Structure formats: C-alpha cells, structure tokens
Amino acid sequence: MAQRAAIVTGASSGIGLAIARMLGEEGYALTIAARREEKLAAAAEELRAAGCEVQHVAGVLSEEDAVQGVVAAHRERYGRLDVLVNNAGVGIGAPVAEIQTKRLDMQLDVNLRATILFYRECVELLRAAGGEHRGALVVNTSSISGKRGQPWLSVYSATKAGVIAFTEAMNKELAADGVKSCALCPAFVDTPMTDFAKAGGVPAEDMIRVEDVAEAVRMLLRLSPACIVPEIVFERPGETV
Ligand SMILES: NC(=O)c1ccc[n+]([C@@H]2O[C@H](COP(=O)([O-])OP(=O)(O)OC[C@H]3O[C@@H](n4cnc5c(N)ncnc54)[C@H](OP(=O)(O)O)[C@@H]3O)[C@@H](O)[C@H]2O)c1
C-alpha cells in the first residue's frame, strides 16, 4: 500500500496539474481526474515521466457516477486517501439577463456539487488518514470571485462563494477528526482558463503562476495538526481591494 495518496480533480492542465506534480514530488501516489480522456492520459504520462506513481480516471464530474468511479478506482488501487484536491472547474460569463439554464447548471454541478459529492464519497478514507496522522487535507479551488462577486461572472462567483462556505463548514465538522480543509482563492492565474483575459489585454506574465498556487498547497502539507488555514487569497498588484 502507498504511504500517502491523493486525488486531484481537474488535473489535466493548469492549477490541478501543477498541484499533482507537487504532490508527486512530495511522494504522494496519485489518482488524477478530468473530463477529456486523451488530455488527462497525456498529463498522467508527463507525471509518470517525472517519477510519480499515478493512475488517471476520466469522467464528467458533474455526474454522481463519475465522482463515485474516481473514488472507487482510488480506493481499489491505493487503499488510503491523505489529500483530496477538488479543483475541476468551469467558468462561463454572461450578463444576468442572458444566463442560460444549461450553463448555470453546469457551473453549479462542476464547481460546487462535485466538490460536495467528493467530500461525501471520500470522508471515510479521509477520517481514517486523519485518525492515523491528524493531517488529512482537502484543498478546494475557489477563486477571488468567490470572495468578491464579479459582474458577468456572477454564476461562477456564486459557485465559488459556495465552495468557501462549504470549506468553512467542513473545518467545523471534520477538523476534530484530523481532516483539515482550505479554499484557494486566486486572482488571474496563467492557465487555459484565462485565455479570454489574455486576449483582452492582461499579459500572461502579469498573472499568478500555477507553481505559486502549488507552493501554497505544499505549505499546507507542512503545517502542524493544530493549525488550520481556512483559505488562501492570491491577489495581483492593482487587483487588490
Ligand atoms: N485560471 C484562473 O485564473 C483561476 C482563478 C481562480 C480559480 N480558478 C479555478 O482553478 C481551477 C482550475 O482551473 P485552471 O485555471 O487550472 O483551468 P484549466 O487548465 O482549464 O483546468 C480546468 C480543469 O478542470 C477540468 N474540468 C472542467 N470541467 C470538467 C468536468 N465537467 N468534469 C471533469 N473535469 C472538468 C478540466 O478538464 P478538461 O480540460 O478535460 O475539461 C481541467 O482539467 C478551476 O476550478 C477554476 O475555476 C482558476
């Protein structure tokens, strides 16, 4: 059995892939999940080439079956779960009068509902790890939009605010069992998700790097069991309020 194991969703690119790489460096055996099989398989190969132990499970995580499939595959292969990273996410902008129900549901389902379902499906494994070493960790990728609602990204903002509230609730419910949670709240990070902002004139080099976010998660791994960091906010110069 692996000494330490982690699930990272949305790990086929961007922030999730950087966190998976960091966890691999730290010796965690990995299950990575995302929607598109081919892209995810390439990410798994890249991680393997870097020396990580990794399996990949593709699935549309707005679907309960897919969430259960990822957790079942993880349990089957590794038998333990020390770190869960709920990172898969989608943002679709629209002014309020033009919000399409299908896109509203997709953002709620991927960003918020899947996070909740992953907690439910993983809590037994997380509690077992927490009982063993008091340092089981759940990292939920929220957003700066979850802290301060953004026009046009109103639905996305609401889902990410929900992630922060759920994270807080989970700390109150699970921290005594050795399972700590943290919501990451970044401003623009240089990933495929911000191609629209780059096209709109925000240079990639002025954005937060995925490695910055992964380093913050590495810090969380090092904390004593007595210390909870409920959220980490990543600002950019000029974007702070
Ligand atoms: N980039 C930013 O500025 C920024 C800022 C704050 C928060 N975030 C959050 O950070 C997280 C990661 O985003 P990113 O910037 O790294 O973008 P990204 O590179 O586009 O990664 C998004 C990941 O989520 C997966 N995903 C999306 N919809 C999915 C679904 N229905 N089922 C399963 N997987 C799905 C994607 O897989 P596929 O490619 O196969 O769809 C991909 O692996 C998201 O939660 C995002 O909201 C990003």
Side-chain angles (χ1 to χ4, degrees), residues 94-149:
V96 64
E98 292 169 29
I99 290 170
Q100 294 176 21
T101 308
K102 194 173 150 200
R103 292 177 170 182
L104 162 64
D105 290 347
M106 186 197 288
Q107 290 175 89
L108 284 166
D109 289 352
V110 179
N111 299 355
L112 184 56
R113 183 172 175 271
T115 296
I116 296 167
L117 291 175
F118 265 104
Y119 266 96
R120 187 189 72 193
E121 297 300 317
C122 291
V123 71
E124 189 189 334
L125 286 169
L126 289 166
R127 276 203 173 107
E132 193 184 300
H133 54 66
R134 313 301 298 161
L137 176 67
V138 184
V139 175
N140 300 315
T141 310
S142 174
S143 165
I144 198 83
S145 316
K147 299 291 295 172
R148 303 189 286 270

Side-chain angles (χ1 to χ4, degrees), residues 9-16 33-36 39 59-62 87-91 106 110-111 141-144 156 160 184-194 210:
T9 73
S12 59
S13 66
I15 295 169
R35 188 170 50 105
R36 284 173 285 176
K39 187 179 161 197
V60 176
L61 297 177
S62 50
N87 168 78
V90 59
M106 186 197 288
V110 179
N111 299 355
T141 310
S142 174
S143 165
I144 198 83
Y156 179 77
K160 294 299 190 178
L184 305 176
C185 308
F188 283 143
V189 183
D190 179 15
T191 74
M193 188 179 263
T194 48
V210 293

Side-chain angles (χ1 to χ4, degrees), residues 9-118:
T9 73
S12 59
S13 66
I15 295 169
L17 180 54
I19 293 175
R21 197 178 292 119
M22 180 281 295
L23 287 169
E25 287 166 13
E26 293 290 328
Y28 287 75
L30 301 169
T31 297
I32 62 170
R35 188 170 50 105
R36 284 173 285 176
E37 157 71 31
E38 213 172 295
K39 187 179 161 197
L40 184 64
E45 209 37 63
E46 183 188 322
L47 292 167
R48 225 166 267 127
C52 306
E53 182 177 358
V54 57
Q55 70 171 338
H56 72 279
V57 184
V60 176
L61 297 177
S62 50
E63 290 173 13
E64 190 174 13
D65 288 359
V67 173
Q68 288 169 332
V70 172
V71 180
H74 182 87
R75 187 188 283 109
E76 171 76 20
R77 170 125 175 207
Y78 301 119
R80 64 178 298 126
L81 179 64
D82 301 277
V83 174
L84 166 64
V85 182
N86 286 309
N87 168 78
V90 59
I92 309 169
V96 64
E98 292 169 29
I99 290 170
Q100 294 176 21
T101 308
K102 194 173 150 200
R103 292 177 170 182
L104 162 64
D105 290 347
M106 186 197 288
Q107 290 175 89
L108 284 166
D109 289 352
V110 179
N111 299 355
L112 184 56
R113 183 172 175 271
T115 296
I116 296 167
L117 291 175
F118 265 104

